[in-house]
Amino acid sequence: MTRTALIAGVTGIVGNNLADRLLGHGWQVDGLARKAVGIPKGTRFVAADLTDPASLVRELAGSKPTHVFFTSWLRQATEAENIRVNSAMVRNLLTALEPAGSVEHVALVTGLKHYLGPFESYGKGVLPATPFREDQERLPVENFYYAQEDEVFAAAERQGFGWSVHRPHTIIGYAVGNAMNMGVTLAVYATICRETGMPFVFPGSATQWESLTDMTDAGLLARHLEWASTTPTARDQAFNIVNGDVFRWKWMWARIAGYFGLEPAAFAGEGIPLETQLASAAPVWQGIAERHGLAEPDMTRLVSAWHTDADLGRPIEVVTDMGKSRRMGFLDYESTDESFFRLFGRLRAARLIP
């Protein structure tokens, strides 16, 4: 039988890559978002708002997905609002689908804030020891990831579907207008440095510069989502998902600099945040875009400096254990520098960077 996927957040970095993956494997793919921006060819677009239960009921009438992939979130001013809005989005979608009775599996994508805490207390207090493992207890703080999980668990008990939770580290992948996109942000920053002669300065902390870390390729995450949602032994499990290699940013920064023909600036012991470095760079980017005929002259559509600063500014080591997935048979691996290079190549092909 043909599997039918409903991807909530299909225009984002996770949803876009997942749709490509599933379409290539013969799935029927319905992609839900508010606007049809850059969705993969072959996706049936569902124009609906996850915060509006009535729009979901209306637009999903007659839909019978077998698998639901929830890859969306909306950033709010406080964690209390993050919890209220983002848990409601999960609840609204699963409630709208309940009458059809077709859902066999729901996959929820969260992230390492499960272990590090929400933005208001990010990387602070008593944190679990690295490498992070799925069986570590939740932190004693409010966290919208926990609230989203609880909505999935409650709906699964009520409706009888299986579930999986996927916790990637920082994701490297193609998307435009995404709120959390380090790869595109660094590509724009490196391009500005090359075009203007501005030094390519690491924006993060000394801990991130020196310590081991890892990341998640969006294509690898897509493969992991498909695997967990179709593998019986992976039913009702939470998983970490990272590339499988580890690196130090002092090495990776030089690799990225070399790709763009730059010399990395010497690290002075503490980085300069990208929000500071790029605060007045929007006109500079517009000029670069005009000179090179780029597709997106609005830097704010490409750059998420706040998120890159948060990740690279952490005062703690962040390394993730993948043993659980390996033991269950998911053995895929990506080299993180190659993940960056593939993304940069795709950005060039799309005329988003010169």
Side-chain angles (χ1 to χ4, degrees):
M1 293 179 61
T2 300
R3 294 174 172 136
T4 301
L6 175 64
I7 302 175
V10 71
T11 59
I13 191 170
V14 178
N16 194 283
N17 284 274
L18 176 61
D20 267 336
R21 169 76 182 182
L22 298 182
L23 287 165
H25 280 201
W27 291 59
Q28 177 180 316
V29 176
D30 296 346
L32 190 150
R34 285 175 292 182
K35 296 180 180 179
V37 180
I39 61 173
K41 185 179 180 181
T43 303
R44 187 181 78 88
F45 179 62
V46 179
D49 185 342
L50 290 166
T51 66
D52 181 356
S55 82
L56 291 169
V57 171
R58 181 178 62 253
E59 298 302 329
L60 292 172
S63 294
K64 293 186 177 182
T66 56
H67 294 70
V68 176
F69 299 90
F70 199 94
T71 71
S72 183
W73 78 292
L74 287 176
R75 187 187 183 197
Q76 305 298 311
T78 66
E79 191 59 19
E81 279 298 289
N82 275 329
I83 290 168
R84 183 185 68 81
V85 171
N86 289 284
S87 63
M89 287 162 56
V90 176
R91 183 170 63 252
N92 293 343
L93 178 62
L94 298 181
T95 299
L97 293 171
E98 186 168 359
S102 62
V103 178
E104 301 171 9
H105 190 96
V106 172
L108 172 68
V109 179
T110 62
L112 294 196
K113 286 188 291 296
H114 183 94
Y115 307 109
L116 291 164
F119 289 117
E120 291 178 7
S121 56
Y122 191 56
K124 300 175 182 176
V126 179
L127 300 174
T130 56
F132 298 138
R133 292 182 170 86
E134 296 92 342
D135 59 359
Q136 291 166 328
E137 294 183 1
R138 290 179 174 182
L139 299 175
V141 295
E142 296 298 309
N143 190 322
F144 83 86
Y145 283 170
Y146 304 162
Q148 286 185 312
E149 285 185 348
D150 289 342
E151 292 292 345
V152 171
F153 301 159
E157 185 172 349
R158 194 170 61 245
Q159 299 180 39
F161 56 72
W163 56 265
S164 57
V165 175
H166 304 255
R167 300 170 186 159
H169 196 167
T170 305
I171 300 169
I172 305 168
Y174 181 87
V176 177
N178 188 263
M180 301 195 304
N181 198 328
M182 181 189 289
V184 177
T185 299
L186 293 182
V188 169
Y189 173 53
T191 299
I192 290 172
C193 290
R194 186 185 64 207
E195 295 280 323
T196 65
M198 190 168 80
F200 189 57
V201 177
F202 182 69
S205 68
T207 302
Q208 290 304 303
W209 183 254
E210 294 287 350
S211 298
L212 291 173
T213 192
D214 48 29
M215 294 184 75
T216 305
D217 182 272
L220 181 80
L221 174 55
R223 300 197 296 274
H224 194 253
L225 284 160
E226 183 182 28
W227 166 79
S229 65
T230 58
T231 301
T233 54
R235 181 185 172 103
D236 299 346
Q237 298 290 328
F239 296 102
N240 296 326
I241 173 61
V242 289
N243 286 348
D245 64 347
V246 293
F247 62 91
R248 291 181 172 85
W249 270 105
K250 64 182 180 182
W251 176 81
M252 186 65 74
W253 199 249
R255 294 285 288 160
I256 293 172
Y259 182 92
F260 287 94
L262 296 168
E263 284 292 329
F267 186 62
E270 195 64 31
I272 302 173
L274 287 179
E275 282 199 299
T276 300
Q277 295 191 60
L278 297 177
S280 59
V284 175
W285 180 257
Q286 185 172 4
I288 293 170
E290 290 172 355
R291 286 198 304 277
H292 293 279
L294 301 183
E296 183 52 77
D298 184 355
M299 190 185 77
T300 64
R301 287 270 300 149
L302 301 172
V303 167
S304 52
W306 69 272
H307 177 257
T308 300
D309 286 340
D311 273 10
L312 297 182
R314 289 179 297 213
I316 56 172
E317 176 187 79
V318 179
V319 181
T320 315
D321 181 71
M322 274 289 291
K324 185 176 183 180
S325 291
R326 305 298 190 222
R327 290 190 297 273
M328 290 187 175
F330 184 83
L331 305 177
D332 289 23
Y333 168 93
E334 292 285 349
S335 175
T336 299
D337 55 341
E338 292 299 328
S339 292
F340 273 121
F341 299 161
R342 278 197 304 273
L343 170 61
F344 299 155
R346 185 170 176 185
L347 294 173
R348 280 180 170 163
R351 294 190 302 109
L352 290 168
I353 61 173

